Amino acid sequence: MTSPSVTTPPVFRFAPSPNGELHLGHALSALAAYDAAQKARGRFLLRIEDIDVTRCREEYVEQIFEDLRWLGLAWEMPLLRQSQHFDVYAKAASWLENIGLLYPCFATRTEIAEAAARQPSGFDPDGAPLYPGLHKKMAGAEAWARRQRSEPFALRLDMDRALAAAAGLLNGAALTFTEFDEAGEGTIVAARPERWVDAIIVRKDVPASYHLAVTIDDARQGVTHVTRGMDLFAATDLHRLLQVLLGLPEPKYRHHRLITDAEGRKLAKSAHDTSIRSLREAGLSPSDIRALVQRI
Ligand code: GLU
């Protein structure tokens, strides 16, 4: 007798940062991921992305739970809070550093901005001036001495080396990702991580970065479908590169449209009038929010 085949359900997630109130853009992200999970009979996870320990606040975490429960969402427990897993990110970073793909950068923001202004070479997809290479070629002895003196430093990805390493690991195949649409159909997109130049993989203030933590956590939580806003579309290029370098599986991606304000700007967490909480307090119901995010 053959045993019945066991299929693992797809895993979706919503991964907010508790550094402000959730707004309509988050409602769209959360509902898109949740609805897709329901439709696919998949699992739905909530992950709290709170590595930015100075900007994230406990009251916003509570507010996230309250807003999402009110919207009718339920998620698996226990949930993952990134601030409790810095050791995991640090371990992955030191592995990347040991194989020569990260280098320390001691430069301050001002030094970087001044150097970039002297030799402008464009901007990364987030609009920041491309890193002008300042400390890329610093001699090992100097870097070591500065580290011994506990000078703060970030760890940056040596993009040239990282691309070469990835090309080897991919055996000549192109670096791509699959973007799925509402119907679940996938389109192959070419990833261009080089446009991030030497992205910061470990920040100066915390032993992780958004890019590193999100890549590792999507993998270790078995996320198969990443649903998030279009503002993170270009970040996926870097996440795919890190997945290849760290030997992590590749999820599918869906980047949904962004909800903008009357001036066409992305909603800000500080804009209280579009926060889920204030709309609830103004008398809107969860189905009003659903209708609103579908309409705008
Ligand atoms: N934590 C990120 C944010 O709140 C989203 C991360 C993601 O969905 O990949 O903007």
Side-chain angles (χ1 to χ4, degrees):
M1 216 177 85
T2 53
S3 55
S5 67
V6 181
T7 50
T8 42
V11 182
F12 295 74
R13 53 66 156 184
F14 175 55
S17 299
N19 53 13
E21 294 186 328
L22 297 188
H23 54 55
L24 284 175
H26 298 103
L28 175 58
S29 265
L31 289 168
Y34 186 73
D35 292 352
Q38 299 293 104
K39 201 169 148 191
R41 294 178 185 275
R43 296 167 53 200
F44 175 73
L45 311 179
L46 173 65
R47 182 169 71 228
I48 300 296
E49 299 211 325
D50 55 352
I51 62 163
D52 193 336
V53 288
T54 49
R55 290 176 62 220
C56 292
R57 296 224 299 263
E58 209 48 42
E59 65 193 81
Y60 292 132
V61 177
E62 292 303 321
Q63 187 71 55
I64 288 170
F65 297 156
E66 197 180 322
D67 288 346
L68 296 181
R69 268 192 224 112
W70 177 77
L71 277 174
L73 273 55
W75 52 91
E76 292 182 11
M77 293 298 281
L79 53 75
L80 191 152
R81 290 187 61 158
Q82 290 188 325
S83 59
Q84 293 167 358
H85 300 273
F86 281 121
D87 56 329
V88 177
Y89 315 129
K91 207 164 152 189
S94 66
W95 188 76
L96 289 173
E97 193 185 3
N98 287 341
I99 58 169
L101 300 185
L102 302 184
Y103 65 89
C105 170
F106 301 85
T108 61
R109 268 172 208 267
T110 316
E111 284 166 344
I112 294 171
E114 283 170 4
R118 279 196 301 275
Q119 33 165 271
S121 58
F123 298 89
D124 74 16
D126 280 347
L130 289 177
Y131 180 64
L134 277 179
H135 290 175
K136 188 166 187 168
K137 300 269 182 298
M138 181 180 284
E142 183 186 346
W144 174 250
R146 292 175 79 155
R147 280 167 91 148
Q148 290 298 97
R149 289 198 298 267
S150 300
E151 277 188 42
F153 62 93
L155 286 172
R156 289 183 175 269
L157 190 64
D158 185 321
M159 187 56 82
D160 302 323
R161 288 189 183 188
L163 291 174
L169 291 163
L170 286 165
N171 251 324
L175 184 68
T176 59
F177 63 89
T178 303
E179 180 79 15
F180 66 97
D181 60 20
E182 211 155 344
E185 295 296 320
T187 307
I188 305 289
V189 180
R192 292 184 289 134
E194 58 279 8
R195 54 192 170 145
W196 291 96
V197 187
D198 291 1
I200 291 180
I201 300 301
V202 177
R203 291 165 37 157
K204 265 187 184 172
D205 56 340
V206 290
S209 63
Y210 158 63
H211 297 302
L212 183 65
V214 79
T215 303
I216 290 176
D217 287 340
D218 281 336
R220 64 197 189 114
Q221 292 194 287
V223 172
T224 56
H225 292 70
V226 172
T227 305
R228 58 187 178 193
M230 201 58 199
D231 52 338
L232 292 169
F233 186 80
T236 305
D237 295 0
L238 200 48
H239 302 169
R240 282 291 299 123
L241 178 60
L242 290 173
Q243 283 157 10
V244 171
L245 297 174
L246 292 167
L248 304 175
E250 174 190 354
K252 292 188 169 76
Y253 291 88
R254 173 152 182 245
H255 296 94
H256 59 72
R257 73 192 159 79
L258 296 180
I259 293 185
T260 50
D261 64 14
E263 279 81 48
R265 285 186 305 250
K266 194 182 127 183
L267 296 183
K269 278 200 169 139
S270 49
H272 187 66
D273 52 341
T274 55
S275 79
I276 298 176
R277 178 190 194 158
S278 63
L279 294 168
R280 178 172 72 231
E281 285 168 1
L284 269 70
S285 69
S287 47
D288 292 334
I289 302 284
R290 270 187 180 275
L292 207 55
V293 296
Q294 269 151 25
R295 210 173 52 236
I296 53 178

